[in-house]
């Protein structure tokens, strides 16, 4: 016997996400306005490439539109769902970059993100630190790398990162702990290597004398 009460679906029509699922253009404009910079900043930090980061943003929101029907009602913010899409786009972008590595190796190496990009990447100390951090991050296992980038660089909480990656919160916490411990050591190694490679060497045949001694404070100040 019916109760007269309408049956609600698992994804309720009154939930804030329902407008996104329905393809409401205004809802997607709000989604882009509120979260596009988060996706862009995350992509810049992971790839170190502004142009590629812009492509990631475009692809992530195109995928969000295509997959809008899969957005569930868990939580009031679509941020974990959107960042999960962005992480997958970045994975695919990385695979494509690997497939084209032979061709890209013939081109000049891309410059490190310059100092004036600090506003976009959360005021990292300088471009050398960003480059060293990216190189160190690349040496981590992918699960640790993704958790670190989401939680530390993009500011997601452990619960949000867990929802983004589809893993338990405890897994996120353990991966983040391992990533932090390894990155401290690896980043220091990368910074030392970068400074060693850029430090000027005396011309052949020059002896260590008073001229070197006089120049030492200038070198130390400008390292």
């Amino acid at each position: 016997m019916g109760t007269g009460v309408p049956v609600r679906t698992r994804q309720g029509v009154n939930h804030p996400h329902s407008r996104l699922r329905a393809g409401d253009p205004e809802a997607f404009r709000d989604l882009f306005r509120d979260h596009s910079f988060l996706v862009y900043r995350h992509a810049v930090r992971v790839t170190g490439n502004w142009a590629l980061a812009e492509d990631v943003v475009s692809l992530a929101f195109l995928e969000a539109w295509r997959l809008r029907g899969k957005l569930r009602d868990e939580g009031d913010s679509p941020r974990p769902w959107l960042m999960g899409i962005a992480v997958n786009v970045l994975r695919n972008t990385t695979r494509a970059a690997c497939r084209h590595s032979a061709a890209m190796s013939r081109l000049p190496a891309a410059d490190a993100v310059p100092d004036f990009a600090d506003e976009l990447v959360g005021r990292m100390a300088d471009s050398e630190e960003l480059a060293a951090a990216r190189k160190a991050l690349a040496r981590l296992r992918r699960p640790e790398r993704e958790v670190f980038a989401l939680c530390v660089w993009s500011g997601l909480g452990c619960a949000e990162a867990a929802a983004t990656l589809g893993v338990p919160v405890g897994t996120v916490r353990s991966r983040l702990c391992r990533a932090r411990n390894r990155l401290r050591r690896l980043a220091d190694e990368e910074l030392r290597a970068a400074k060693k490679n850029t430090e000027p060497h005396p011309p052949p045949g020059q002896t260590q004398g008073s001229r070197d001694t006089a120049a030492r404070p200038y070198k130390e100040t400008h390292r």
Side-chain angles (χ1 to χ4, degrees):
M1 181 175 178
T3 61
V5 179
V7 176
R8 294 179 60 85
T9 61
R10 184 176 59 179
Q11 295 183 323
V13 295
N14 295 323
H15 194 277
H17 298 344
S18 61
R19 292 177 59 214
L20 290 171
R21 283 195 298 271
D24 185 335
E26 187 64 32
F28 266 85
R29 279 193 287 271
D30 292 343
L31 181 73
F32 186 86
R33 181 198 64 208
D34 295 341
H35 302 294
S36 60
F37 184 70
L38 171 67
V39 175
Y40 176 74
R41 186 177 61 183
H42 181 75
V44 167
R45 285 169 158 167
V46 171
T47 66
N49 185 309
W50 294 355
L52 184 56
E54 291 175 353
D55 291 343
V56 169
V57 173
S58 298
L59 290 170
F61 278 90
L62 284 172
E63 278 294 281
W65 175 263
R66 187 177 69 86
L67 300 173
R68 62 189 183 276
K70 296 184 178 181
L71 176 59
R72 298 180 180 178
D73 286 342
E74 286 85 349
D76 293 329
S77 172
R79 188 163 77 161
W81 171 75
L82 179 62
M83 290 303 291
I85 293 173
V87 167
N88 284 332
V89 169
L90 280 165
R91 288 173 181 170
N92 292 335
T93 301
T94 301
R95 293 190 193 104
C98 290
R99 288 194 297 267
H100 293 86
S101 59
M104 293 301 294
S105 65
R106 295 192 292 268
L107 299 177
D111 293 335
V113 176
D115 290 346
F116 59 79
D118 288 348
E119 289 291 336
L120 296 179
V121 295
R123 297 184 182 274
M124 295 287 289
D126 56 34
S127 59
E128 287 184 356
E129 289 189 6
L130 177 58
R134 284 188 57 247
K135 289 179 180 178
L137 201 64
R139 294 168 63 182
L140 296 180
R141 294 170 58 246
R142 190 182 77 180
E144 296 170 358
R145 183 169 64 246
E146 290 176 346
V147 164
F148 181 88
L150 288 169
C151 293
V152 178
W153 275 357
S154 296
L156 270 67
C158 287
E160 285 185 305
T164 295
L165 298 172
V167 298
V169 175
T171 300
V172 169
R173 292 196 179 104
S174 61
R175 289 178 183 175
L176 182 59
C177 181
R178 289 195 301 269
R180 286 182 185 276
N181 291 335
R182 290 198 64 202
L183 274 174
R184 290 190 187 97
R185 175 175 56 82
L186 295 175
D188 286 344
E189 289 178 5
E190 293 293 345
L191 275 174
R192 286 195 298 269
K195 290 181 179 180
K196 183 177 180 180
N197 290 337
T198 58
E199 196 169 287
H201 298 284
Q206 180 174 323
T207 58
Q208 300 293 325
S210 59
R211 291 179 63 186
D212 281 348
T213 303
R216 188 173 300 133
Y218 179 86
K219 291 180 181 178
E220 292 178 352
T221 303
H222 291 76
R223 283 182 182 173

